[in-house]
């Protein structure tokens, strides 16, 4: 299964002058198609065959589907049901668990602006972060990306925490299975990434998202602005409502965007910038965004990075005398902190412009 048949969706954008923020990206009439992504069966006993399929996908776009991943429909349905219950709460109740300094908790509408050069306002989404739960008696509990989560009042949302913790655990298991295929696809031992120094105590974040509204790229209005993910692997479960788009060539003068359709029972997977660094630019971390058509949309992305002290440097199989490392070595926590700070500076600059 390679995805559904391509069907064209006509997007009419005028050729008039855009706002000052968007002049560098002139929009013309274009055809947006559905992207035909590779589908990988995690129940396939032939790991090397799956690794070859994975490598092809990672060379092309870094986006693919996984099926037979082992996360039951019941677990996924419960996570979406509880997510909807949270976002349906009154604003004052949600603000009680506002995101803290460790990036745990609720993020309101317009809280993020990943593409400030082309967005006139923040993303049309609200979210909720749930990170790696590390108790206070753990010697590493105060590290920047570990710690305790912020949870809604159990009297208001009974069973909510347990549902999210179960999904978090299941999603991490799937990421580790994908990491084995990634290792094989890069001519490494299957357990290369599943070491104490890498995924032994990973930084893993579950995020609940709720979208509403209509996107208009010609006016700089998006569900989520164009960006690439920071980390290693992202899993994405959706409610089936179309919206996710990818751009395989970010440097093209006229960017071509393709929709990623939902496939029942499948999870969308994409690689992040960290994996691109590890592979010396061989594997792709691709730009993506969310375009809304007025339908309410829910999704659950799950992000995985290695532990804080893991050194991200060119893998031994991705370099040679004729292909030297393109990126300097950097500690995982330092890299993530740097990327978060860059994002914060962009958002602060955007807010200052508005003021």
């Amino acid at each position: 299964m390679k995805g559904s048949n391509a069907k064209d969706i006509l997007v009419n954008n005028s050729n008039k002058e855009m706002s000052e923020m968007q002049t560098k990206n002139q929009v013309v009439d274009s055809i947006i198609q559905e992207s035909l992504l590779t589908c990988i069966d995690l129940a396939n006993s032939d790991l090397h065959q799956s690794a070859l399929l994975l490598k092809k996908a990672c060379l092309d776009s870094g986006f693919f589907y996984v099926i037979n991943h082992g996360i039951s429909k019941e677990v996924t349905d419960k996570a979406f049901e509880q997510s909807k219950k949270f976002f349906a709460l009154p604003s004052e109740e949600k603000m009680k668990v506002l995101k803290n300094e460790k990036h745990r908790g609720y993020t309101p509408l317009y809280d993020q602006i990943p593409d400030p050069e082309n967005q006139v306002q923040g993303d049309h989404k609200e979210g909720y972060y749930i990170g790696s739960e590390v108790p206070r008696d753990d010697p590493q509990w105060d590290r920047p990306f570990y710690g305790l989560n912020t949870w809604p009042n159990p009297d208001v949302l009974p069973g909510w925490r347990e549902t999210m913790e179960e999904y978090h655990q299941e999603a991490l298991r799937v990421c580790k299975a994908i990491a084995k295929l990634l290792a094989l696809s890069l001519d490494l031992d299957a357990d290369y990434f599943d070491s104490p120094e890498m995924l032994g105590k990973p930084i893993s974040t579950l995020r609940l998202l709720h979208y509403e509204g209509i996107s208009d790229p010609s006016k700089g209005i998006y569900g989520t602005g164009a960006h690439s993910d920071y980390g290693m692997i992202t899993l994405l479960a959706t409610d089936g409502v179309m919206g996710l788009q990818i751009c395989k060539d970010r440097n093209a003068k006229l960017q071509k965007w393709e929709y990623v359709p939902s496939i029942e029972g499948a999870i969308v997977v994409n690689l992040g910038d960290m994996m691109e660094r590890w592979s010396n630019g061989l594997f792709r971390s691709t730009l993506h965004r969310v375009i809304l058509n007025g339908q309410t949309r829910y999704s659950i992305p799950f992000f995985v990075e290695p532990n804080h002290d893991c050194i991200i440097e060119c893998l031994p199989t991705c370099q040679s005398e004729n292909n030297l490392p393109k990126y300097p070595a950097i500690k995982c926590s330092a890299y993530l902190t740097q990327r978060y700070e860059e994002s914060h500076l962009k958002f602060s600059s955007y807010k200052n412009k508005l003021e």
Side-chain angles (χ1 to χ4, degrees):
M1 178 169 63
K2 299 266 183 180
S4 58
N5 292 328
K7 55 187 180 184
D8 295 342
I9 303 171
L10 186 60
V11 177
N12 293 311
N13 292 316
S14 66
N15 289 326
K16 66 182 181 180
E17 278 288 317
M18 299 178 67
S19 67
E20 181 181 344
M21 187 177 290
Q22 298 164 291
T23 51
K24 74 171 197 172
N25 287 319
Q26 194 73 18
V27 177
V28 297
D29 291 344
S30 60
I31 300 294
I32 295 182
Q33 297 181 323
E34 285 189 1
S35 189
L36 300 178
L37 301 180
T38 300
C39 191
I40 296 169
D41 186 348
L42 292 185
N44 184 2
S45 59
D46 189 339
L47 295 182
H48 290 279
Q49 181 188 57
S50 294
L52 286 173
L53 280 174
L54 182 79
K55 185 170 186 175
K56 180 182 177 184
C58 294
L59 292 171
D60 176 55
S61 67
F63 270 80
F64 52 94
Y65 301 102
V66 292
I67 59 170
N68 293 323
H69 41 72
I71 303 180
S72 70
K73 186 176 184 300
E74 179 186 7
V75 168
T76 302
D77 287 349
K78 278 170 57 182
F80 274 102
E81 179 185 350
Q82 291 283 29
S83 175
K84 291 175 182 179
K85 285 182 179 179
F86 174 80
F87 290 121
L89 292 174
S91 179
E92 58 269 23
E93 191 67 38
K94 290 184 285 190
M95 293 300 285
K96 292 178 182 177
V97 285
L98 190 64
K99 184 182 71 172
N100 60 26
E101 69 280 356
K102 288 208 173 190
H103 305 282
R104 313 291 176 96
Y106 174 64
T107 55
L109 283 169
Y110 316 122
D111 181 69
Q112 287 185 303
I113 183 161
D115 187 17
E117 293 182 358
N118 296 298
Q119 288 181 260
V120 296
Q121 57 187 208
D123 292 344
H124 279 231
K125 69 175 187 285
E126 53 181 343
Y128 198 101
Y129 285 98
I130 302 165
S132 306
E133 184 84 7
V134 178
R136 287 183 180 273
D137 58 1
D138 188 298
Q140 298 194 59
W141 84 273
D142 61 345
R143 303 291 292 274
F145 301 100
Y146 293 153
L148 298 173
N149 283 305
T150 299
W151 301 104
N153 186 336
D155 293 332
V156 176
L157 292 175
W160 199 90
R161 173 177 177 171
E162 292 75 12
T163 296
M164 299 310 166
E165 287 182 328
E166 182 180 19
Y167 190 90
H168 192 287
Q169 183 178 359
E170 287 289 281
L172 180 57
R173 175 187 54 75
V174 174
C175 285
K176 288 187 174 184
I178 294 168
K180 288 183 183 293
L181 296 179
L182 277 172
L184 290 172
S185 71
L186 292 166
D187 299 319
L188 300 164
D189 292 337
D191 294 327
Y192 184 86
F193 293 114
D194 197 17
S195 65
E197 302 80 27
M198 294 190 179
L199 293 178
K201 198 167 189 176
I203 298 168
S204 50
T205 305
L206 176 66
R207 196 170 184 206
L208 311 174
L209 295 175
H210 168 226
Y211 296 89
E212 283 189 348
I214 298 176
S215 299
D216 188 343
S218 70
K219 296 179 179 178
I221 299 172
Y222 299 87
T224 296
H227 67 286
S228 59
D229 293 342
Y230 302 162
M232 181 181 179
I233 302 170
T234 303
L235 304 186
L236 179 68
T238 75
D239 61 357
V241 175
M242 191 79 90
L244 175 64
Q245 294 180 347
I246 63 174
C247 174
K248 295 180 183 178
D249 185 0
R250 68 174 69 200
N251 297 317
K253 188 172 183 180
L254 178 62
Q255 291 179 337
K256 178 184 176 184
W257 291 90
E258 303 173 9
Y259 274 105
V260 176
S262 296
I263 296 177
E264 188 172 355
I267 292 176
V268 178
V269 183
N270 68 277
L271 305 186
D273 299 341
M274 197 175 287
M275 199 66 230
E276 187 170 288
R277 290 176 72 100
W278 249 329
S279 68
N280 210 23
L282 178 68
F283 284 176
R284 306 281 302 280
S285 176
T286 291
L287 278 183
H288 50 286
R289 67 187 188 183
V290 173
I291 299 296
L292 305 173
N293 63 4
Q295 288 181 277
T296 299
R297 182 176 186 268
Y298 296 88
S299 68
I300 305 178
F302 182 81
F303 308 94
V304 168
E305 291 87 39
N307 70 30
H308 277 73
D309 296 323
C310 179
I311 303 299
I312 310 301
E313 59 185 337
C314 184
L315 295 167
T317 55
C318 295
Q319 57 181 295
S320 66
E321 290 183 7
N322 299 320
N323 184 30
L324 298 176
K326 298 177 176 66
Y327 308 95
I330 188 169
K331 187 182 290 188
C332 177
S333 58
Y335 176 72
L336 291 177
T337 299
Q338 175 185 314
R339 294 298 302 271
Y340 273 101
E341 286 177 352
E342 288 173 356
S343 175
H344 179 73
L345 286 172
K346 287 180 181 178
F347 184 61
S348 297
S349 175
Y350 159 74
K351 285 179 69 179
N352 290 336
K353 283 182 180 179
L354 293 182
E355 294 168 356

